[in-house]
Amino acid sequence: MPDNRSEAVKSTNSPTSNPTLLAWVDEMAKLTKPDRIVWCDGSEEEKQRLTKEAVDKGILIPLNSEKRPGCYLHRSDPNDVARTEHLTFVCTRAKEAAGPNNNWMDPKEGYAKLGKLFDGSMKGRTMYVIPYLMGPAGSPFSKVGIEITDSVYVVLNMQLMTRMGRIALAALGDSSNDFNRGLHCTLDLDPEKRFICHFPEDNTIWSIGSGYGGNALLGKKCLALRIASFLGREEGWLAEHMLILGAEDPQGKKHYVVAAFPSACGKTNFAMMVPPARFKGWKITTMGDDIAWLRIGKDGRLWAVNPENGYFGVAPGTNTKTNPNAMASIAHNAIFTNVAMTKDGDVWWEGKDGEPPTELTDWRGQPWTPAAKTPAAHPNSRFTAPMRNNPILSEHADDPQGVPISAIIFGGRRATTVPLVMQSFNWAHGVYLGATMGSETTAAAAGQVGLVRRDPMAMLPFCGYDMGDYFGHWLKIQHRLADPPPIFLVNWFRKSPEGKFLWPGYGENMRVLAWILARAQGTAGAGETPLGWVPRAGDLDVTGLDLTPEQVRQATAIDLTEWGSELESQGELFTKLERTLPPTIRLERELLMARLRN
Ligand code: OXD
Ligand code: MN
């Protein structure tokens, strides 16, 4: 009997007459052979319908409707709980274009290899077509993506994380072919058949075998960082792994900063920070907590837009003290992934408020008590929440132009060496500090946790092209900036020799931010060291902080011997990127080495 399935799916009602889009969806349907096609419109009615379907199939578990109205829990396959960097590929025609920082696959091989896996992969399943917009509607900087997926969990997450449905089709229009083509299928979640392939030259992403956020919500890491960084280089802008926050001082003066930290290093907490009592009258607002698209405005300033519409945050450690605004954001209409569940249908994770309940269901669905040897929530358990739930959401979150940036911050998770804060001497030195940033690995990616690795600008897993060229692109950006924002390096995670954190972090980071903003305006002092400008005693406001002067000294100290070893260990990165490393970056290191030897 002839297989007329693709004929049947073709007749499904589609909400667009865009011929390129229709032809592509048809082609993907012929490949994956779904039983039915559903075009997502992003409506509330659709959300209710798909949520019910997900609940009926056990994909979502409803939570206590009084404690967490509109909230659901999802439990992943235990082997699919984090990004899989070793299975993530950049497929450019020339291997060199992807650079030594990426796994590379020939595009022909990529399409052929994954094509075999996609062939018939949606038989018996529904194929959802998700039109989505990264960035505010009406912004010349926004990008349209279409994600085809077999996962209702992906649809419901994309609904929270992006501007999805009709709004995106309207932005695309009836004739444009300028959209990202994303094809995703969970298949059978077999890690042996898991690949996340990017084809930046075709504005295409094929992801198979995983339902995990960073692998499956294609608008986020795949489009807004890997593909966008590639496009940004061609088009003269930057796609960065950065939060964007606004800070208004008691006099009503507003500034915006961007900050790049690796995954699970506190971007969401910093972006939603509550200033301590000492900083009464200051107001922090959140533009974004993970990704910034940076362009040079007509005024020669750097402007930032958050392409996302929601938060996909790390749950463990989040509580009403560390991040009350995140807690408010997840109070209703949120999806939780791999957290624990209380007896009365609420959520729990390590580091949530109060003592652990005496009985829980852990992230795998097993009974759990505090005597258990394993955590109740997965260390990379997540919440997905609409940004509109955030009580301190910036009034510019939907502004098509974004916000002008006064300072750029880079930061890693480092137990030693890197001081609390340091300002670069100039743009090139700042690019060098970002480029050579090291950080301890976290549970956000599969693999060992706690190893220091170089994570340039927190973009190691996300830069869609050669990292040396990326540094070159950053350096070139300066030429078009009338007044480049100052660049800073921070470290909230330094520890004493006894292994205790030296800095309280969270809201107290406001003290560091206040110094950074004052430096940006030329109103705060600093001392020069061979490494950069640092706050001297008295420059950083530590009034009311529960730390001894010795603790503050230790948190801010620069040990030149430790920096000697740090520079040594940067050597590996320089060797790896040798082919394209800009001479400026090499010279910055040599200059620094010479200063340390003096
Ligand atoms: C994220 C990540 O999910 O960086 O934001 O892994
Ligand atoms: Mn991230």
Side-chain angles (χ1 to χ4, degrees):
M1 211 172 86
D3 186 355
N4 61 357
R5 220 184 290 252
S6 58
E7 235 58 60
V9 292
K10 239 203 228 162
S11 65
T12 317
N13 243 6
S14 50
T16 176
S17 56
N18 184 306
T20 320
L21 175 53
L22 288 171
W24 175 69
V25 170
D26 193 41
E27 194 191 332
M28 295 303 105
K30 283 193 172 118
L31 174 65
T32 57
K33 304 178 181 62
D35 276 17
R36 67 200 76 79
I37 298 179
V38 171
W39 285 77
C40 300
D41 62 12
S43 65
E44 186 55 31
E45 180 280 316
E46 172 183 270
K47 182 181 167 185
Q48 300 301 337
R49 180 168 42 83
L50 295 181
T51 301
K52 184 176 176 316
E53 220 171 283
V55 170
D56 291 346
K57 288 188 179 144
I59 296 165
L60 290 183
I61 301 167
L63 292 167
N64 185 316
S65 61
E66 269 160 39
K67 292 193 161 176
R68 301 259 161 208
C71 290
Y72 296 86
L73 167 66
H74 172 74
R75 295 196 184 112
S76 308
D77 187 299
N79 73 38
D80 187 32
V81 291
R83 281 184 293 99
T84 41
E85 293 176 7
H86 60 295
L87 303 173
T88 300
F89 293 82
V90 169
C91 308
T92 41
R93 284 190 292 277
K95 184 173 185 197
E96 296 73 41
N101 46 300
N102 281 304
N103 300 315
W104 176 81
M105 212 188 276
D106 184 301
K108 278 201 203 99
E109 186 196 337
Y111 286 127
K113 189 171 182 159
L114 273 69
K116 277 201 196 109
L117 297 172
F118 274 117
D119 190 359
S121 60
M122 296 197 194
K123 273 185 190 162
R125 302 185 187 190
T126 301
M127 177 173 126
Y128 299 97
V129 184
I130 313 171
Y132 65 95
L133 187 61
M134 299 309 287
S139 170
F141 311 134
S142 295
K143 301 269 181 208
V144 173
I146 310 289
E147 174 163 359
I148 289 177
T149 180
D150 66 329
S151 162
V152 69
Y153 168 80
V154 166
V155 179
L156 292 167
N157 274 273
M158 288 294 280
Q159 210 260 348
L160 294 172
M161 292 302 297
T162 70
R163 293 156 173 97
M164 174 190 142
R166 287 196 198 102
I167 192 172
L169 288 180
L172 180 65
D174 286 338
S175 56
S176 171
N177 64 1
D178 185 12
F179 61 90
N180 181 269
R181 290 140 176 81
L183 177 63
H184 169 252
C185 183
T186 48
L187 211 57
D188 48 8
L189 298 176
D190 176 357
E192 295 297 318
K193 290 182 250 157
R194 183 172 297 162
F195 296 97
I196 297 94
C197 285
H198 305 71
F199 304 87
E201 288 145 341
D202 304 337
N203 199 2
T204 292
I205 304 157
W206 280 17
S207 165
I208 194 156
S210 168
Y212 173 74
N215 293 337
L217 310 178
L218 300 186
K220 193 173 180 61
K221 302 300 176 183
C222 301
L223 172 52
L225 286 176
R226 295 193 193 97
I227 299 278
S229 59
F230 185 96
L231 296 177
R233 182 175 173 228
E234 284 178 351
E235 298 167 6
W237 54 282
L238 293 162
E240 297 299 326
H241 195 203
M242 288 175 165
L243 66 94
I244 315 164
L245 70 77
E248 186 179 327
D249 69 17
Q251 288 71 46
K253 203 188 285 175
K254 263 190 201 167
H255 287 277
Y256 296 88
V257 305
V258 285
F261 302 128
S263 308
C265 288
K267 280 196 298 300
T268 307
N269 292 338
F270 193 49
M272 298 183 184
M273 180 174 52
V274 177
R278 169 77 184 160
F279 288 79
K280 195 163 175 278
W282 280 79
K283 205 174 137 204
I284 299 295
T285 50
T286 316
M287 273 290 285
D289 79 327
D290 195 42
I291 299 176
W293 285 357
L294 301 169
R295 320 229 176 202
I296 297 154
K298 288 197 183 73
D299 58 0
R301 286 191 294 173
L302 197 60
W303 288 74
V305 161
N306 169 20
E308 301 193 277
N309 200 30
Y311 309 121
F312 182 63
V314 178
T318 308
N319 62 49
T320 50
K321 286 203 187 64
T322 58
N323 195 338
N325 292 311
M327 293 305 277
S329 304
I330 58 179
H332 56 98
N333 299 102
I335 297 175
F336 296 87
T337 302
N338 298 334
V339 301
M341 192 164 82
T342 63
K343 272 177 96 174
D344 62 351
D346 197 4
V347 287
W348 200 82
W349 46 78
E350 278 63 28
K352 193 162 173 273
D353 296 282
E355 291 301 310
T358 50
E359 278 177 64
L360 286 169
T361 305
D362 75 5
W363 68 276
R364 294 169 191 256
Q366 300 301 316
W368 185 96
T369 69
K373 298 227 163 29
T374 50
H378 187 276
N380 190 38
S381 52
R382 299 280 179 145
F383 54 78
T384 321
M387 70 174 177
R388 270 152 252 285
N389 278 4
N390 179 0
I392 62 161
L393 180 67
S394 168
E395 59 187 346
H396 293 291
D398 286 315
D399 191 329
Q401 297 304 322
V403 289
I405 296 304
S406 300
I408 297 173
I409 302 172
F410 293 115
R413 181 186 284 270
R414 293 297 300 271
T416 65
T417 317
V418 180
L420 181 64
V421 59
M422 179 159 87
Q423 181 184 356
S424 71
F425 294 122
N426 53 43
W427 182 267
H429 179 230
V431 173
Y432 165 80
L433 290 181
T436 53
M437 194 172 98
S439 193
E440 291 156 22
T441 51
T442 68
Q448 205 179 332
V449 168
L451 297 176
V452 173
R453 69 171 181 182
R454 294 293 135 203
D455 190 350
M457 277 110 167
M459 281 289 277
L460 181 67
F462 308 121
C463 181
Y465 63 102
D466 180 277
M467 190 60 94
D469 289 336
Y470 167 75
F471 299 157
H473 183 47
W474 259 88
L475 290 169
K476 274 201 208 110
I477 289 283
Q478 180 184 16
H479 303 167
R480 289 160 50 221
L481 285 169
D483 188 15
I487 299 180
F488 297 81
L489 186 67
V490 301
N491 177 21
W492 317 138
F493 301 96
R494 201 170 189 181
K495 288 184 177 165
S496 67
E498 299 74 43
K500 290 229 162 70
F501 285 115
L502 286 165
W503 181 252
Y506 303 108
E508 301 298 352
N509 293 337
M510 182 67 222
R511 297 169 188 272
V512 177
L513 180 61
W515 182 75
I516 286 174
L517 290 173
R519 289 294 295 166
Q521 295 167 87
T523 57
E528 187 180 329
T529 74
L531 289 150
W533 296 97
V534 296
R536 299 159 304 186
D539 289 329
L540 198 65
D541 186 344
V542 289
T543 311
L545 192 60
D546 193 15
L547 289 186
T548 62
E550 175 53 18
Q551 282 168 316
V552 175
R553 194 199 61 74
Q554 283 182 24
T556 52
I558 286 181
D559 178 333
L560 295 184
T561 320
E562 277 182 349
W563 274 93
S565 322
E566 180 73 6
L567 283 161
E568 276 301 309
S569 81
Q570 290 172 5
E572 215 176 292
L573 175 79
F574 280 66
T575 309
K576 194 170 165 187
L577 300 180
E578 199 164 28
R579 200 181 65 82
T580 52
L581 194 73
T584 310
I585 300 294
R586 201 188 315 274
L587 287 170
E588 283 290 347
R589 177 164 178 251
E590 280 172 26
L591 206 56
L592 180 48
M593 281 172 142
R595 284 202 296 269
L596 289 186
R597 273 196 301 266
N598 285 340

